[in-house]
Amino acid sequence: MENTKRSEHIVLATHSNLKYPESLPLDWGNQDPIKRGPVVASNTNPRARNAIGSHSGSYAVFRALSIASGKYKPSHKPDLNNTFSPVKIGPYPSWNDSTKIVSLDPWGLDPQLHFKDLFDKGYDIRPSIAVTQAHLQLHEIHEAIDKGRLKMDGKVVLANKDVKVTKVAIEPVWYLPAMAARLGTDEGSLRRILFTESGGMYPELITRPDLKVWLPPIGSTTVYIFGNPADLSNPNVELSCRVHDECNGSDVFGSDICTCRPYLMYGIEHAAECAQRGGVGIIAYYRKEGRALGEVTKFLVYNARKRQEGGDSAATYFKRTECVAGVEDARFQEFMPDVLHFFGIKKIHHLHSMSNMKYDAIVGSGIEVINRVSIPDHLIPADAQVEMEAKKAAGYFNKGDVKKGEELASVKGRDIE
Ligand SMILES: [Zn+2]
């Protein structure tokens, strides 16, 4: 089945009679990787594909530009020599439950090891998960050390104040029947809506009901682990966890309208500290910018908030988002815990999140949460008081006072300058 030169002939996999013997069956949740089958979505041999979409889905268009410019050989197959994970992760019982992990492929980690025979037969199977190690240099962490909150132990925090981590990149791989079930809808309806909302990009969603897996063109999730990754699955080891949705403006650029970066750094400090006292820490970073509404919508909302009569106010915080975006929040945290189940997590001792949606999704997925940690007041930037008070008033978890009525309306942000 070796296919070194990609043919100009385009195979539209839009008829369910286009099943080839090379296309391996997938039995999602089967504990034997060979019986479960590898997800094959590479383009070097379209006859072997058993999934809709393509790897690194959100980058497929850039790959296309590289091919169009003549700089990238479409027949290229990655040389996976020495790319395997430096630490062992799984398999865990959660990998064998077809309802626990539905939005990523646990066997997408080091497929060259799990499916060696198939690689030898020429199958072009690509990893959808990769693990590596790194050192973090963060000024908030340096400050925590300088102020005596965090110590340099030479293991988690080194003498030069670097924090040692294991980091894991996870691409989305969606098993559609179980995703539909979790959303409380039927698979046919979900496939039809996904097809329509993506502008008809993936006709197979409609025409190939036999293909159950889709690699959607959305961002990946990155996980940072502090301490021993194997400890994440041990409920007797103290675990500190922050589940963080991307906010580029705050996380990277330090924009002061929200609490995203301060909360993230607080989570990192606690994760490192927890690892130092024999526990383990995890930060899961989901590419769901602007409550999964996108940054353009987010910036429009900022302007609408600041220009409304009476200025930016905690009392109208959620309403302004809904006016522009149609919903307050498009994140639907139902699939977020899949990443935690990938690491076999059963118990979280300290959950750094004020979101009830996140808490409910985690607990609803069968993970026990002992303690919820909200961001301390002194870490909240002045202009972010609007967001914070609005969230508290809307029932987000916190241990402090909740403002109502006029008091809530009196929490104001900066005007447009
Ligand atoms: Zn933010």
Side-chain angles (χ1 to χ4, degrees):
M1 58 162 289
E2 185 70 28
N3 184 354
T4 48
K5 227 171 89 188
R6 202 190 288 184
S7 123
E8 289 291 308
H9 181 68
I10 291 172
V11 181
L12 283 175
T14 49
H15 298 287
S16 43
N17 60 1
L18 273 177
K19 281 185 200 161
Y20 298 103
E22 297 96 320
S23 177
L24 300 163
L26 284 171
D27 180 17
W28 201 263
N30 195 308
Q31 62 177 348
D32 177 348
I34 301 298
K35 288 184 187 145
R36 207 304 299 266
V39 172
V40 181
S42 45
N43 290 318
T44 48
N45 181 5
R47 295 165 67 101
R49 287 166 64 84
N50 60 10
I52 305 166
S54 96
H55 284 286
S56 306
S58 60
Y59 297 101
V61 176
F62 290 108
R63 198 164 56 234
L65 295 182
S66 305
I67 294 170
S69 73
K71 293 195 175 99
Y72 179 99
K73 263 204 346 247
S75 59
H76 172 76
K77 281 188 188 180
D79 172 2
L80 297 174
N81 196 28
N82 286 334
T83 62
F84 60 91
S85 170
V87 293
K88 184 168 157 47
I89 293 173
Y92 298 111
S94 49
W95 293 23
N96 315 332
D97 182 336
S98 64
T99 64
K100 273 267 189 287
I101 299 179
V102 305
S103 61
L104 61 89
D105 172 17
W107 299 106
L109 170 65
D110 295 336
Q112 67 276 33
L113 308 181
H114 305 308
F115 304 109
K116 191 177 175 305
D117 288 353
L118 292 169
F119 272 86
D120 292 345
K121 283 183 190 157
Y123 274 91
D124 183 7
I125 304 164
R126 309 274 173 108
S128 58
I129 298 177
V131 184
T132 191
Q133 288 167 331
H135 287 193
L136 309 184
Q137 299 180 335
L138 294 160
H139 76 81
E140 286 92 339
I141 294 298
H142 291 184
E143 197 182 293
I145 295 166
D146 295 342
K147 292 198 168 156
R149 297 198 305 269
L150 197 61
K151 61 180 192 295
M152 293 171 287
D153 64 341
K155 280 200 227 154
V156 181
V157 183
L158 304 180
N160 65 355
K161 301 181 187 173
D162 281 8
V163 183
K164 276 178 75 177
V165 291
T166 301
K167 54 181 184 178
V168 185
I170 303 171
E171 281 180 0
V173 178
W174 287 7
Y175 179 58
L176 295 168
M179 291 199 75
R182 219 184 272 182
L183 288 169
T185 185
D186 64 281
E187 187 192 337
S189 305
L190 174 64
R191 295 175 79 113
R192 199 163 51 249
I193 295 164
L194 288 169
F195 172 74
T196 310
E197 285 305 307
S198 64
M201 270 205 295
Y202 298 92
E204 298 94 334
L205 285 170
I206 302 296
T207 60
R208 293 292 306 270
D210 59 307
L211 294 176
K212 299 294 186 191
V213 169
W214 180 39
L215 281 65
I218 59 170
S220 53
T221 300
T222 314
V223 172
Y224 284 77
I225 301 163
F226 304 73
N228 181 3
D231 286 342
L232 289 167
S233 65
N234 183 348
N236 299 319
V237 174
E238 187 184 3
L239 194 160
S240 169
C241 170
R242 163 85 182 143
V243 279
H244 188 94
D245 290 330
E246 176 178 35
C247 172
N248 180 270
S250 172
D251 295 344
V252 180
F253 290 96
S255 173
D256 71 343
I257 196 168
C258 56
T259 55
C260 300
R261 182 175 170 106
Y263 213 161
L264 178 62
M265 294 302 141
Y266 187 59
I268 291 174
E269 184 183 325
H270 270 223
E273 200 192 333
C274 187
Q276 286 186 329
R277 54 171 187 263
V280 61
I282 181 170
I283 307 281
Y285 190 91
Y286 301 82
R287 299 300 179 327
K288 290 189 215 163
E289 178 59 66
R291 295 194 207 131
L293 297 164
E295 217 172 28
V296 168
T297 297
K298 186 177 185 174
F299 290 5
L300 296 174
V301 170
Y302 286 160
N303 285 343
R305 273 172 55 185
K306 290 185 178 295
R307 286 206 183 98
Q308 69 188 320
E309 213 181 312
D312 192 12
S313 159
T316 54
Y317 170 80
F318 283 110
K319 200 166 147 236
R320 295 262 52 101
T321 305
E322 198 169 345
C323 286
V324 178
V327 284
E328 276 180 14
D329 195 314
R331 282 175 291 183
F332 298 102
Q333 300 289 357
E334 277 81 356
F335 306 107
M336 172 270 289
D338 288 21
V339 167
L340 307 177
H341 288 293
F342 171 67
F343 295 99
I345 292 175
K346 296 178 206 78
K347 191 183 207 172
I348 295 172
H349 299 75
H350 313 285
L351 176 65
H352 284 246
S353 170
M354 290 171 67
S355 161
N356 292 332
M357 277 170 85
K358 287 180 184 168
Y359 173 80
D360 292 345
I362 290 171
V363 172
S365 78
I367 295 172
E368 190 185 349
V369 173
I370 306 293
N371 179 24
R372 296 174 74 181
V373 186
S374 48
I375 187 170
D377 287 344
H378 70 273
L379 289 178
I380 302 169
D383 203 42
Q385 290 292 348
V386 170
E387 176 200 289
M388 189 48 60
E389 292 304 331
K391 284 184 169 177
K392 277 155 55 176
Y396 275 59
F397 172 80
N398 88 104
K399 286 184 175 143
D401 297 337
V402 175
K403 295 183 171 61
K404 286 193 190 115
E406 270 187 26
E407 208 195 350
L408 183 65
S410 72
V411 179
K412 295 284 173 91
R414 209 171 38 235
D415 289 336
I416 283 194
E417 292 154 326

